Amino acid sequence: MNAAAPHEPALSIPDLARGFGIEEVLHFTTNRGLVGIGATGAVKSRDGLTADAYLEHIYLPNCRSRTGDAGWTGYVNLSLTQVNGTLLGISKDRWHVADEVWWCVLAFDPALLSHDGVYFTTTNNIYPAVKRGQGAAGLSALYADKVPGRYGNLSCRTAHTPRNLPTDPQAEVLYPDQVELRLLRRIYVPEDDYIDAVKGLAATLPSLSGIPIECKPEVFG
């Protein structure tokens, strides 16, 4: 009789994150959004934004409408390694082109991927082809060889796909309620000219004090 193969324990989310090379979890926002985030000490979900008496005066949502994922407005939308460049482009060039705002990206510690209630989506959460999951299996699904996305189009991993990028560039991490700034590691801007602007905001918002600010255009998608 052949001996049974030894049981190999399933990988944990931190193990998977290290294996995939995930070093940052990202969220893009406007300068007005950064003021609200710094004032409240957290990135809030759409539901949390509308419920906050202070934020209602400076509220400027990244997405004009959330009808496509109305059941998920209690979650903060995040990305792995690089933000959703398609969505950021629409936000900048269509929805907020007349709002005289500029954009930055907040980089959080990947430890948050292990927190309770986190969901992983293989593509944009509004697309019919999206697959949502939790735990290690949910995270692994974002790095599958083939992932259906918008209109059923397949995103495929190749030898040239960076190891730390999800297969579909619009994959998401959905974090419940709010992401606290104790997990914030860096703030990125697309051009050097914005570094001083962020420093000026941080000087008036203690929760942003001491956070490194860098020009890193590649994370903007």
Side-chain angles (χ1 to χ4, degrees), residues 46-126:
R46 173 69 70 97
D47 291 350
L49 288 170
T50 56
D52 190 295
Y54 170 75
L55 292 178
E56 68 177 356
H57 298 294
I58 58 173
Y59 177 42
L60 187 66
N62 289 345
C63 299
R64 285 284 171 89
S65 172
R66 293 289 298 273
T67 55
D69 64 342
W72 297 88
T73 53
Y75 291 79
V76 179
N77 301 72
L78 305 165
S79 301
L80 298 173
T81 305
Q82 185 180 81
V83 302
N84 183 338
T86 299
L87 182 59
L88 176 57
I90 293 171
S91 297
K92 279 196 310 183
D93 302 328
R94 188 185 307 172
W95 292 332
H96 299 303
V97 67
D99 290 326
E100 297 185 358
V101 296
W102 46 266
W103 298 80
C104 60
V105 169
L106 309 184
F108 292 93
D109 194 299
L112 66 78
L113 299 175
S114 301
H115 291 184
D116 290 342
V118 171
Y119 279 85
F120 303 99
T121 76
T122 54
T123 185
N124 192 308
N125 194 41
I126 69 170

Side-chain angles (χ1 to χ4, degrees), residues 21-209:
I22 301 168
E23 297 181 349
E24 297 176 322
V25 182
L26 308 178
H27 177 81
F28 69 81
T29 188
T30 65
N31 55 310
R32 284 173 57 177
L34 184 61
V35 171
I37 290 165
T40 60
V43 180
K44 294 179 179 287
S45 68
R46 173 69 70 97
D47 291 350
L49 288 170
T50 56
D52 190 295
Y54 170 75
L55 292 178
E56 68 177 356
H57 298 294
I58 58 173
Y59 177 42
L60 187 66
N62 289 345
C63 299
R64 285 284 171 89
S65 172
R66 293 289 298 273
T67 55
D69 64 342
W72 297 88
T73 53
Y75 291 79
V76 179
N77 301 72
L78 305 165
S79 301
L80 298 173
T81 305
Q82 185 180 81
V83 302
N84 183 338
T86 299
L87 182 59
L88 176 57
I90 293 171
S91 297
K92 279 196 310 183
D93 302 328
R94 188 185 307 172
W95 292 332
H96 299 303
V97 67
D99 290 326
E100 297 185 358
V101 296
W102 46 266
W103 298 80
C104 60
V105 169
L106 309 184
F108 292 93
D109 194 299
L112 66 78
L113 299 175
S114 301
H115 291 184
D116 290 342
V118 171
Y119 279 85
F120 303 99
T121 76
T122 54
T123 185
N124 192 308
N125 194 41
I126 69 170
Y127 296 159
V130 66
K131 293 182 179 179
R132 304 180 186 95
Q134 292 185 288
L139 177 58
S140 292
L142 275 60
Y143 291 83
D145 289 339
K146 296 180 180 180
V147 172
R150 190 179 188 188
Y151 304 130
N153 292 333
L154 281 179
S155 293
C156 301
R157 299 195 78 80
T158 72
H160 303 291
T161 305
R163 180 171 59 103
N164 56 3
L165 287 180
T167 306
D168 188 318
Q170 297 199 61
E172 299 185 66
V173 177
L174 306 179
Y175 193 95
D177 191 30
Q178 63 180 26
V179 183
E180 297 182 2
L181 292 191
R182 61 183 176 81
L183 296 166
L184 181 62
R185 297 294 175 260
R186 286 176 179 79
I187 299 173
Y188 294 129
V189 293
E191 300 175 19
D192 285 326
D193 291 346
Y194 293 113
I195 291 178
D196 285 342
V198 176
K199 286 182 177 179
L201 290 176
T204 65
L205 299 166
S207 63
L208 298 178
S209 177

